[in-house]
């Protein structure tokens, strides 16, 4: 829907994409804060969180789609767009590190005791026992936890606003780069049909879908895996930071690698490099040093998963432009489906994780978990992601745009622009002679 409305947005003095970023930011920050606010109502809390969580996700989409599509609107050169994508993903991962550190350190300072499993009660009454233990939980500690989450939300919201201001002030859309010749809105549904019939885009999205789902499952269950399976309850924040810092520092390395060896080779090497480490972390006995080494090594692969699919998307758009030279202004459609599948994989991974852990007998805030839960967590952070990565790499194998194809497309686009410019100049000369 956001891609649809962006394609219908007329060009303004701020550009076509920037107004979406500017106007969505304050409302996104407010809704994010209210997600972490605990309303003093006995009923309707589920509805409260459903409304504000959906509102926040919608407003983030209003930011993320135009923000991602800006890559196509700041330059027409492939090398410059690749460089911009590398910088963008580096700072995005750095932002994730900051968010993880802020949330983890502020909330982590609040002592929230775990709940001992009621071994003296049968399994059928275990949920009742858990409720009784919850009732005795220290109210003061719960209040401190509420305040900590809201403070963290306020700090992160402030960073959101600061980054949006820097973006809106420091970046300007180039109308020539987007090749928009008029303010007439493009036909979204015709463009959608053309985009979804573009084979290279479908293959890229399919590979992106499965590899993203693999890393989403790893990310979503890693804290529980460190806490219960490995036994590092007080270390998982630092282990997660090690992963994200490693990813941040190695994105420039992958940018050099794709420039030197090509993007498809970088995808195979980068994303597949996570497989041995995902297997190692569940096969070896619990060891903190080994876990940190695996975390740093896994961060290198996470960097490739962050950077490479987004770096390949502009090449698909160039290929589309060559096949449909008269169809313009569809960049937002390409990027909106990328954002859609990012959110889709996040939702699917949450659903898979929640259902699997619930089926295995996961106990919320328990000091320990049943053996079935530990086995399920091993599957969710190792076996399932490895299978999804292999499937995603198989689909990337079908992706048709290699380095030779990229060079041919670049040359063809330059010839097309030169032809268009010469045609425009001849028309102007003819008009001047008539006048």
């Amino acid at each position: 829907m956001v891609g649809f409305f962006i394609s219908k947005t007329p060009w303004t003095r701020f550009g076509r994409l920037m107004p979406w970023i500017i106007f969505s930011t304050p409302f996104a920050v407010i809704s994010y804060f209210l997600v972490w606010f605990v309303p003093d109502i006995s009923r309707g809390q589920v509805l409260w969180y459903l409304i504000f969580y959906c509102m926040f996700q919608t407003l983030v989409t209003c930011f993320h789609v135009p923000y991602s599509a800006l890559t196509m609107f700041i330059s027409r050169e492939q090398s410059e767009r690749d460089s911009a994508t590398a910088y963008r993903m580096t700072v995005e991962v750095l932002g994730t590190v900051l968010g993880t550190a802020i949330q983890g350190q502020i909330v982590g300072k609040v002592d929230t005791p775990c709940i001992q499993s009621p071994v003296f009660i049968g399994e059928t009454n275990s949920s009742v026992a858990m409720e009784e233990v919850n009732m005795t939980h220290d109210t003061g500690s719960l209040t401190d936890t509420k305040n900590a989450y809201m403070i963290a939300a306020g700090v992160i919201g402030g960073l959101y606003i600061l980054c949006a201001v820097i973006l809106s002030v420091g970046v300007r859309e180039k109308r020539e780069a987007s090749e928009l010749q008029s303010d007439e809105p493009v036909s979204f549904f015709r463009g959608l049909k053309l985009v979804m019939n573009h084979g290279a885009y479908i293959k890229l999205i399919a590979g992106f879908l499965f590899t993203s789902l693999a890393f989403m499952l790893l990310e979503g269950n890693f804290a529980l895996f460190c806490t219960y399976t490995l036994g590092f309850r007080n270390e998982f924040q630092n282990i997660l930071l090690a992963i994200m810092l490693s990813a941040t520092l190695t994105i420039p390395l992958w940018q050099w690698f794709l420039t030197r060896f090509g993007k498809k080779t970088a995808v195979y090497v980068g994303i597949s490099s996570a497989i041995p480490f995902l297997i190692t972390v569940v096969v070896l006995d619990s060891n903190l040093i080994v876990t940190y080494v695996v975390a740093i090594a896994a961060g290198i692969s996470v960097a490739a998963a962050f950077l490479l699919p987004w770096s390949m998307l502009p090449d698909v758009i160039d290929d589309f432009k060559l096949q449909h030279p008269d169809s313009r202004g569809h960049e937002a459609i390409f990027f909106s489906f990328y954002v859609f599948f990012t959110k889709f994989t996040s939702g699917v991974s949450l659903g898979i994780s929640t259902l699997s852990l619930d089926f295995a007998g996961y106990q919320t805030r328990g000091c320990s978990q049943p053996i079935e839960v530990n086995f399920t967590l091993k599957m969710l952070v190792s076996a399932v992601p490895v299978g999804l990565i292999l499937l995603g790499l198989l689909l990337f194998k079908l992706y048709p745009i290699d380095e030779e194809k990229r060079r041919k497309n670049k040359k063809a686009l330059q010839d097309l622009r030169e032809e268009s410019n010469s045609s425009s100049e001849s028309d102007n000369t003819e008009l001047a002679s008539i006048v």
Side-chain angles (χ1 to χ4, degrees):
M1 289 176 63
V2 172
F4 170 79
F5 289 121
I6 288 176
S7 70
K8 296 293 184 181
T9 302
W11 194 270
T12 69
R13 65 189 183 94
F14 299 105
R16 168 171 280 179
L17 305 176
M18 200 60 70
W20 284 84
I21 294 172
I22 294 171
F23 290 113
S24 67
T25 294
F27 299 105
V29 170
I30 292 171
S31 61
Y32 178 74
F33 182 81
L34 291 175
V35 165
W36 298 102
F37 177 76
V38 182
D40 189 18
I41 52 178
S42 58
R43 295 183 179 179
Q45 284 191 343
V46 172
L47 183 61
W48 170 283
Y49 291 117
L50 182 63
I51 289 172
F52 285 108
Y53 185 77
C54 290
M55 186 182 298
F56 171 69
Q57 290 293 345
T58 301
L59 290 165
V60 167
T61 301
C62 293
F63 183 102
H64 198 186
V65 172
Y67 163 72
S68 304
L70 271 174
T71 304
M72 299 300 298
F73 287 74
I74 58 178
S75 176
R76 66 177 61 177
E77 293 295 327
Q78 288 182 353
S79 58
E80 292 180 357
R81 291 194 312 238
D82 289 345
S83 178
T85 301
Y87 277 108
R88 178 169 74 86
M89 299 314 299
T90 301
V91 178
E92 279 194 27
V93 178
L94 181 61
T96 306
V97 172
L98 282 175
T100 303
I102 291 169
Q103 186 94 354
Q105 296 305 317
I106 293 177
V107 176
K109 290 181 178 179
V110 179
D111 181 25
T112 306
C114 61
I115 299 174
Q116 295 290 343
S117 299
V119 295
F120 53 88
I121 296 179
E123 290 185 7
T124 55
N125 296 324
S126 61
S127 62
V128 177
M130 291 292 288
E131 289 185 15
E132 291 177 354
V133 177
N134 278 332
M135 294 294 290
T136 62
H137 182 247
D138 183 19
T139 305
S141 175
L142 186 60
T143 302
D144 292 340
T145 304
K146 292 178 185 178
N147 294 334
Y149 275 110
M150 284 193 288
I151 291 171
V155 175
I156 292 174
L159 282 175
Y160 192 130
I161 293 174
L162 175 63
C163 293
V165 169
I166 294 173
L167 177 66
S168 60
V169 172
V171 177
R172 289 289 176 268
E173 297 173 50
K174 293 181 180 179
R175 195 174 184 186
E176 297 79 12
S178 64
E179 297 184 350
L180 292 174
Q181 303 299 323
S182 69
D183 287 327
E184 291 296 324
V186 297
S187 171
F188 176 84
F189 293 105
R190 179 175 177 271
L192 178 62
K193 183 178 179 180
L194 290 172
V195 166
M196 298 313 293
N197 285 331
H198 192 59
Y201 185 58
I202 297 302
K203 294 180 177 69
L204 180 61
I205 271 190
F208 177 64
L209 174 66
F210 287 103
T211 53
S212 295
L213 182 56
F215 285 99
M216 288 283 184
L217 281 170
L218 175 62
E219 176 188 344
N221 295 283
F222 191 74
L224 295 177
F225 177 75
C226 288
T227 300
Y228 296 113
T229 305
L230 298 181
F232 303 137
R233 177 179 294 276
N234 298 321
E235 290 289 335
F236 77 85
Q237 303 278 7
N238 298 325
I239 295 171
L240 187 59
L241 278 176
I243 293 175
M244 301 313 295
L245 282 173
S246 173
T248 303
L249 295 175
T250 51
I251 282 181
L253 170 65
W254 288 117
Q255 175 63 21
W256 169 84
F257 191 95
L258 68 86
T259 303
R260 178 70 176 81
F261 299 101
K263 295 181 181 180
K264 288 189 71 171
T265 303
V267 165
Y268 300 142
V269 175
I271 297 180
S272 64
S273 64
I275 294 176
F277 300 106
L278 293 178
I279 296 173
T280 301
V281 78
V282 299
V283 170
L284 295 181
D285 293 334
S286 177
N287 184 292
L288 185 59
I289 296 176
V290 172
T291 302
Y292 270 107
V293 172
V294 169
I296 293 171
I300 299 173
S301 185
V302 169
F306 264 96
L307 171 65
L308 295 170
W310 286 102
S311 181
M312 297 163 81
L313 181 56
D315 301 332
V316 172
I317 298 176
D318 284 345
D319 189 66
F320 176 83
K321 287 180 178 179
L322 284 175
Q323 295 187 24
H324 307 279
D326 297 327
S327 184
R328 295 168 177 163
H330 303 311
E331 292 86 355
I333 303 175
F334 282 97
F335 281 90
S336 66
F337 270 91
Y338 241 48
V339 175
F340 167 78
F341 279 112
T342 301
K343 291 182 177 292
F344 178 75
T345 53
S346 176
V348 170
S349 68
L350 284 171
I352 292 173
S353 302
T354 304
L355 291 173
S356 301
L357 291 171
D358 184 62
F359 182 76
Y362 174 76
Q363 296 176 348
T364 305
R365 285 182 28 237
C367 293
S368 61
Q369 299 292 341
I371 297 175
E372 292 82 1
V373 171
N374 291 329
F375 176 78
T376 302
L377 286 170
K378 287 183 179 181
M379 293 295 103
L380 291 174
V381 301
S382 180
V384 178
V386 167
L388 290 169
I389 287 173
L390 292 174
L391 181 57
L393 291 177
L394 177 63
L395 292 169
F396 275 124
K397 183 73 175 176
L398 303 175
Y399 176 69
I401 303 177
D402 54 15
E403 290 307 298
E404 182 180 357
K405 179 74 170 177
R406 284 185 68 210
R407 287 191 290 269
K408 289 181 179 179
N409 285 350
K410 180 180 180 179
K411 178 72 166 57
L413 279 174
Q414 288 175 345
D415 294 342
L416 193 63
R417 292 189 186 106
E418 290 173 1
E419 181 182 345
S420 177
N421 291 336
S422 62
S423 176
S424 177
E425 289 175 3
S426 63
D427 290 342
N428 291 336
T429 302
E430 182 177 353
L431 178 61
S433 62
I434 293 174
V435 173

